[in-house]
Amino acid sequence: MTGHLRSWPIVLALSVASAPLVLMYVYLFVDTVTNAPPGSFVPNEFTLEHWSFLWHTPRGRPSIWRVTLNSLLFATSTAALVVVISSMAGYVLSRLNVPARGFFLAGVMVLHAFPAITLIVAIFLVLQVVGLYNTLIGVILVKAAIDMPLGIWLMKGFYDTVPWEIEMAGIQDGASRFTVWRKLVLPQVKPGIFALALFAFLLGWGEFILPQVLAPGGDVQVLSVYLASLIADDNNFDMALFKSVGLFYMAPVLILFFFFQGHLMNIYGGGTKG
Amino acid sequence: MRILLDKFSKSFGDVRVIEDMTLEVNDGEMLALLGPSGCGKSTTLFAICGIHKVSGGRIFFGERDMTDVPSQERNVGVVFQSYALYPHMTVAENIAFPLRIRKLPEAEVKRQMEEMARLVHIEELLGRRPAELSGGQQQRVALARALVRRPNVLLLDEPLANLDAKLRLEMRSEIRRIQLETGITAILVTHDQVEAMSMCDRIAIMNAGRIIQIATPQEMYRNPRTAFVAGFLGNPPIAFLDAVARDGWLAVEDADIRLPVPPGTRTPPDGTPVVLGIRPETLGREGDAPIRGRVTFVETQGRENLYDITLANGSVLRSIQRVSDDVSLNDEVEWRVRSDQIFVFSQNGERL
Ligand SMILES: Nc1ncnc2c1ncn2[C@@H]1O[C@H](COP(=O)(O)OP(=O)(O)OP(=O)(O)O)[C@@H](O)[C@H]1O
Ligand SMILES: [Mg+2]
């Protein structure tokens, strides 16, 4: 009891300090389904008009569903690329005696630390030359390449925890190196693969700069670019619409986090459960 | 199938671990590779199964040169010290894995898997995962997985090291039973001399990458070639005593001991320093040469008592005798040694 008594000032202080944050989130939601009279914070009517972008495409803008599909394609494709390539590259760097292994390891580390944004002009030029500018494929490739070092490093860490004898036992049992990887090692790093896939998806879903610069066109717009274009438009500036689209954009992330937070924690454990 | 290592060498970078080792294991034989930690036992094993490439020499299975054959085609069953079961598979899947890799028809896989499970007595565990098994059960699964595809050769790397004393005893006879039943040629790596002596047809004692002696357990115990071998076999271990040759006798001068040179031993020239090896069971109430000392340690092992006696010059000898109450700590005793059963080594450890 005394513990509770002594902690209540702290609780109170924390509540007061975080109240503005909570209020912000509450208003973010409330504002999307109500109208308030000018100059007031208190809403006076319920409305769905701010969500009308879902069924009505304003002139001069791509359809929200098209954009959502692009975002999904973008995030899942980059995640898939990152997972497939990192899970193989991580294994090679962890186990096989490849030439210049140390160089690759260091290189991956440096690339991970390298601010990708400094490359954007060069990437822009390259994409233009090869004809992938303003295409989803182009920006997917770029995003996957930028996320890859993290993925490779992460997967290498997971592979490092798999006992070496398991692989040797597999080889003795007559399996090829590839089969050993597929059937014996990969199942041990499932938590890593899963977490990496989720991370890569979320990174892709939240990416703004790359699609904005490399694929701004209406057909290939992703949600973040669409959202930004709403406030960039000075003529009919609609705060409530912006908030609604923002909520819509956030929802999948929240849902994913809600369902998979346990797995996400696992990534730092680095263990081989499952 | 006969295994022959012919002048086999292995180095890691600049470190030469094994040099010019020649070793033959006969068909159907179980051979123990016995030696202290780091002497190259596992390295030898890994070369035989193809995990390590040899740096020199040849490896033959039967008449076939296996030196450059990849692991997968050597058909060697290996039981690793950590068992290395596949944690995400059930026991049944673990045992069946080598068969599935061979793409045997499913019915055949099941039949052979169950037959093997019966052989190692784990039929009722087939649905479990390795994490749900005791050490001894995991050990059996590893053995079953190594044997299921009828390998030419079975290699066991300290398979009993992780088990408790009772289970170790049990698995010792169990592994031997399975080896005899399948008639497979096997090599057992161990640093436990009891294991080597009780399980194997022959023992190869290794030290620092070289084989010191190969013989049957009996022969090696009775007739060790060097002081190292004598010191490695026997529990409680042999005791060593510095002595000199004097007038055709072996004398420990500062402890007033004179022993005749045992039969079959070259009498060393007068004044040569030698090392005597005296096993605990050759020192006791009966014998021909008296040894005086003070009892400095008594340990009862149930049926027998183990005594340490300290001689006048400070050296310690061990004696193992039937339990009796007439000797206690710090007593001065005069016991006898059967001088025909002691070993005489030169200063560098070679048997004379
Ligand atoms: N991959 C390696 N690289 C370098 N040196 C190695 C390697 N593997 C083993 N060694 C060295 O070779 C020697 C023999 O090792 P090995 O594993 O064969 O010993 P062991 O007899 O099996 O010992 P233990 O009883 O402790 O298992 C050791 O000195 C070890 O340090
Ligand atoms: Mg070893």
Side-chain angles (χ1 to χ4, degrees), chain B residues 42 81 157-158:
Chain B
S42 301
Q81 181 174 343
D157 192 358
E158 305 192 26

Side-chain angles (χ1 to χ4, degrees), chain B residues 298-314:
Chain B
V298 183
E299 182 187 273
T300 182
Q301 300 187 335
R303 205 155 24 86
E304 283 147 345
N305 275 356
L306 175 66
Y307 303 99
D308 280 6
I309 70 172
T310 306
L311 309 183
N313 67 352

Side-chain angles (χ1 to χ4, degrees), chain A residues 164-177 179 183-185 187-188 274, chain B residues 46 49 51 71-72 76 78 80 82 84-89 97-98 101-102 145 149:
Chain A
W164 170 88
E165 282 90 352
I166 288 189
E167 282 174 70
M168 287 308 137
I171 300 259
Q172 292 308 320
D173 284 344
S176 68
R177 198 78 204 216
T179 311
K183 293 255 177 72
L184 301 180
V185 180
Q188 319 287 324
Chain B
F46 289 156
C49 66
I51 291 176
S71 289
Q72 286 94 336
V76 176
V78 185
F80 291 87
S82 58
L85 298 179
Y86 310 133
H88 57 293
M89 297 184 184
F97 184 78
I101 288 293
R102 246 145 258 229
R145 188 183 65 187
R149 65 205 144 86

Side-chain angles (χ1 to χ4, degrees), chain B residues 139-185:
Chain B
Q139 216 266 333
R140 286 159 196 260
V141 178
L143 203 57
R145 188 183 65 187
L147 286 171
V148 73
R149 65 205 144 86
R150 319 233 163 263
N152 296 326
V153 174
L154 177 66
L155 305 179
L156 305 145
D157 192 358
E158 305 192 26
L160 306 178
N162 293 336
L163 306 182
D164 68 43
K166 183 166 168 296
L167 202 55
R168 199 180 291 195
L169 209 69
E170 207 173 286
M171 288 310 296
R172 229 153 64 189
S173 45
E174 194 74 335
I175 291 180
R176 181 60 165 166
R177 169 183 72 82
I178 292 164
Q179 188 262 332
L180 289 175
E181 240 167 81
T182 50
I184 193 170
T185 309

Side-chain angles (χ1 to χ4, degrees), chain B residues 12 15 17 35-44 52 81 158 189 191:
Chain B
F12 295 103
V15 192
V17 176
S37 191
C39 70
K41 304 180 299 287
S42 301
T43 307
T44 308
H52 288 337
Q81 181 174 343
E158 305 192 26
V189 161
H191 47 225

Side-chain angles (χ1 to χ4, degrees), chain A residues 83 154-155 158 161-162 185-199 260 262-274, chain B residues 88:
Chain A
V83 163
L154 201 88
M155 289 315 299
F158 270 89
T161 67
V162 177
V185 180
L186 213 50
Q188 319 287 324
V189 298
K190 247 198 248 153
I193 301 239
F194 189 84
L196 178 59
L198 201 55
F199 259 6
F260 297 127
H263 286 278
L264 269 182
M265 293 302 152
N266 217 340
I267 210 168
Y268 295 111
T272 52
K273 292 180 209 148
Chain B
H88 57 293

